[in-house]
Amino acid sequence: MSIYQATASAPVNIACIKYWGKRDTKLILPTNSSLSVTLDQDHLRSTTTSRADPSFTKDRLWLNGKEEEINEGGRLATCIREMKRLRREVEDKEPNAPKLSTFPVHISSRNNFPTAAGLASSASGFAALVKSLATLYQLPAHPSQLSLIARQGSGSACRSLFGGYVAWEMGSKPDGSDSLAVEVAPQSHWPDLHALICVVSDDKKGTSSTSGMQQTVETSALLQHRIKHVVPERMEAIKKAILAKDFDSFARITMKDSNQFHAVCLDTEPPIFYMNDVSRSIIALIVEYNRVSVANGGGYKAAYTYDAGPNAVIYAPKENLKEIISLIVKYFPQAENFKDPFQLFGTQGVGAGGVVPGFNEAVAKTFPVGSVKSLIHTRVGDGPRVLSAEEGLLGQDGLPK
Ligand code: DP6
């Protein structure tokens, strides 16, 4: 008997123009378009195996080995149902195709980064789920078509169906059929864009994106201004900057949009705070680092951005990463030398850190060890990958390995 199984991995993406607000909470239709950079799966990824088998009794899913409830009408159930619907279309056209759409599925998914790091795993997770089911069902689907389904798992997940530089066009149709991800430029267009993720320790349980953005939609007047008068121009300007590989403009827009996203959070009733003192000090360091560069006749050399939590993501051209890591490590000492995966500091890694000439060291204080728990140096990466049978996460028995 044939085994119907497929495994895929999908990347994390971090937005430069933020998605924050839904006009339809069930279909997950946003109040504004957004744009992100896909990060390299060599460093951060979700891997998912899906198997269809008539002997299974129901659809089941395990996340990092732990079974998750698939609630009826919930986001997981919606994605699985939509993928089965696309499979049925294939079966209707090819009467000889096995009726996989009628079989229950077992799905096992793993992230290669700790959930405790506070990095959003829902984007890579839903993208890997949709890609593995599309492969299992042998769907001839384009990534934009798959993005329509991943979007219904988690809005930002739709952007993880592409590598490189990706826009989520908000669309206008009530059924959501034009609210999808499109590639602005592939990874190969501008491969030297790197990212440094500063994992900031956070004990508080924060407001989730899903509920936070709904509170903002209901109470913030500033959000309405952002939707109507800010994001449309910014989307055009950042696409232009990406196509021209103009880092200076890319950085200015990215930082302004992160700031405005956190401003609409503050404008929410009751106010939502995602950044903390560590986050704000990292902003001060990047602002000063850029000031020195501009004072010396150069352009911006780094851009910070923050999602719904205190972690910083710093985008910069590859050539600046050594200076940026040295700067962060100086103010946020690490328990052990930081061993950069790109071998920027030799085999010993970087310990003490330092600043560039002309840098005003008083813009931030030095924090205790552990304030920035860890650093992840990565770069722009490719879209979902189909993996071999050997890399599958389900055993012979159809349960997680
Ligand atoms: C701040 O995609 O996690 O990261 O659609 O409710 O699942 P849901 O929300 P989610 O929100 C992401 C918000 C953000 C900005 C962004 O990624 O664009």
Side-chain angles (χ1 to χ4, degrees), residues 297-319:
Y300 279 16
K301 290 170 81 175
Y304 59 77
T305 187
Y306 295 81
D307 282 342
N311 293 340
V313 176
I314 302 169
Y315 284 124
K318 183 182 176 186
E319 62 195 26

Side-chain angles (χ1 to χ4, degrees), residues 36 54-55 104 127 139 144 168 176 192 290 300 318 333 349 360 370 382:
S36 58
S55 75
L139 302 179
S144 288
W168 173 9
D192 274 354
N290 284 329
Y300 279 16
K318 183 182 176 186
N360 174 9
D382 59 351

Side-chain angles (χ1 to χ4, degrees), residues 12 27 34 57 70 73 154 169 172 190 199 201 209 223 225 311 375 390 397:
V12 167
L27 287 171
S34 56
T57 52
I70 302 180
S154 181
E169 302 294 353
S172 56
W190 193 8
V199 179
S201 75
S209 301
L223 181 72
H225 171 73
N311 293 340
L375 298 172
E390 289 74 59
D397 54 0

Side-chain angles (χ1 to χ4, degrees), residues 15 17-20 22 28 34 75 122 153-156 159 209-210 213 261 307-308:
I17 305 293
K18 304 294 186 192
Y19 147 54
W20 196 252
K22 295 180 182 71
I28 311 198
S34 56
R75 292 171 170 206
S122 64
S154 181
S156 54
R159 299 185 309 238
S209 301
T210 305
M213 69 174 79
F261 156 49
D307 282 342

